[in-house]
Amino acid sequence: MSARAEAGTGEDPGAAAARLTGRPATRRRPLSAMLTEVTLDGGQTVMVKRGDDPGAVEAEAAGLRWLADAGTVRVPAVHGHDRHWLVTDQVPVGLPSARAAARFGRDLAALHAVGAPSFGAPPPDGPTDAYIGMAPMRNVTGTDWPRWYAEHRVLPYLRRAVDDGTVRHGEAEVIERACERLPELTGPAERPARLHGDLWNGNVLWGADGQAWLIDPAAHGGHRETDLAMLHLFGCPHLDQVLVGYQEVAPLAEGWADRVGLHQLFPLLVHTVLFGRGYAGQAVTVARAALAR
């Protein structure tokens, strides 16, 4: 049976791993409702993830392959997937170190430099309708970053948050005004970078091999400062060393630190939609700070 064969209803993670890899499962260890560690015949351990949202597994698998194709950052290999199941390598986890962080920064800069066809471009075999975490994310393409970022990354989540009542109309107006000023606030134009797209600390695994590994991408073409802004937003071990390594390979444009908040509007509003009003205040604060510049 093809590695892309559709999972049957009620299939368990071990059976899915066996079907998609062609090797019997000998052990299963659930890690969450959606993630299971499965040992295959022969001793290899893989991660089996279930995704029920339409296109979610396809988008994640395509994103992992697109990042791997760059030959820069480390990502788990994809062993098989279908509409509901994704099977990837397990990454043995170690401890973060300054050395690993600096190398991660250099590798991330190299990933971004590989580029993408346009802003919003999905991986070549990925769907237009993808996801960032549990939130839908449409990969509509554009050539002008400030306009594309406002129309396809900030405003869709702002509108949903207003409709849900988690952002008030007066607050939304502040964020909308910041979007209008993006062309003058976002620094020099840059070509589209190949982004991980959901680069918060939880998606960076510090491997036992002394390397940083990236998981759960929302990969697309975007502005390289967006990935870095997300690392700032939720914290990252040895972030100063990540930045040192990054700047060694691809120095950031002058004033990049002043633009971090603008690039955080997107993930902050995604989190507002997913988790509620606590993140709404942060988004409004960021927008007000941008308008004060």
Side-chain angles (χ1 to χ4, degrees):
M1 186 176 290
S2 166
R4 293 181 59 87
E6 183 176 344
T9 303
E11 189 174 29
D12 70 74
R19 176 173 54 79
L20 291 166
T21 65
R23 297 164 61 187
T26 60
R27 179 176 174 271
R28 303 162 184 78
R29 185 167 76 95
L31 302 178
S32 70
M34 308 301 288
L35 189 65
T36 302
E37 185 181 273
V38 174
T39 302
L40 302 174
D41 187 37
Q44 182 182 10
T45 300
V46 294
M47 305 304 294
V48 182
K49 184 176 182 179
R50 181 170 182 115
D52 292 326
D53 292 318
V57 172
E58 180 184 3
E60 184 171 342
L64 287 169
R65 288 193 295 265
W66 197 42
L67 299 183
D69 287 347
T72 56
V73 295
R74 287 154 184 77
V75 296
V78 176
H79 292 292
H81 71 94
D82 58 23
R83 284 193 352 177
H84 297 290
W85 298 100
L86 173 66
V87 182
T88 65
D89 275 341
Q90 180 207 45
V91 178
V93 177
L95 295 174
S97 70
R99 182 176 180 180
R103 179 166 182 174
F104 169 41
R106 293 191 293 270
D107 292 345
L108 184 62
L111 171 71
H112 291 163
V114 170
S118 59
F119 298 112
D125 54 347
T128 297
D129 292 307
Y131 286 83
I132 177 166
M134 300 297 291
M137 183 185 79
R138 296 209 76 222
N139 283 319
V140 178
T141 61
T143 56
D144 178 73
W145 186 80
R147 180 176 179 180
W148 170 85
Y149 181 67
E151 292 183 358
H152 301 295
R153 287 297 179 265
V154 176
L155 295 177
Y157 301 96
L158 178 62
R159 294 184 188 113
R160 181 171 164 183
V162 170
D163 290 343
D164 291 345
T166 50
V167 172
R168 302 182 182 105
H169 288 283
E171 295 169 331
E173 290 173 1
V174 175
I175 296 172
E176 288 166 350
R177 289 201 304 272
C179 286
E180 291 168 1
R181 288 192 57 193
L182 281 173
E184 66 185 271
L185 294 174
T186 52
E190 297 207 8
R191 70 187 187 95
R194 187 170 303 194
L195 299 189
H196 175 279
D198 191 10
L199 197 57
W200 72 287
N201 181 47
N203 287 340
V204 180
L205 298 183
W206 301 94
D209 60 357
Q211 310 291 343
W213 293 71
L214 304 186
I215 61 171
D216 296 348
H220 63 279
H223 196 300
R224 61 190 181 131
E225 291 177 12
T226 305
D227 265 354
L228 295 172
M230 198 170 291
L231 284 176
H232 278 83
L233 180 59
F234 296 109
C236 176
H238 304 291
L239 181 56
D240 56 339
Q241 289 302 309
V242 174
L243 293 170
V244 166
Y246 192 101
Q247 300 258 35
E248 287 176 2
V249 173
L252 294 161
E254 184 178 355
W256 70 270
D258 295 329
R259 297 187 290 271
V260 167
L262 288 170
H263 288 271
Q264 290 175 345
L265 276 175
F266 167 43
L268 282 171
L269 288 167
V270 169
H271 277 68
T272 300
V273 166
L274 291 176
F275 305 116
R277 181 151 177 84
Y279 291 98
Q282 289 180 254
V284 174
T285 298
V286 162
R288 286 193 174 123
L291 290 170
R293 283 168 52 189

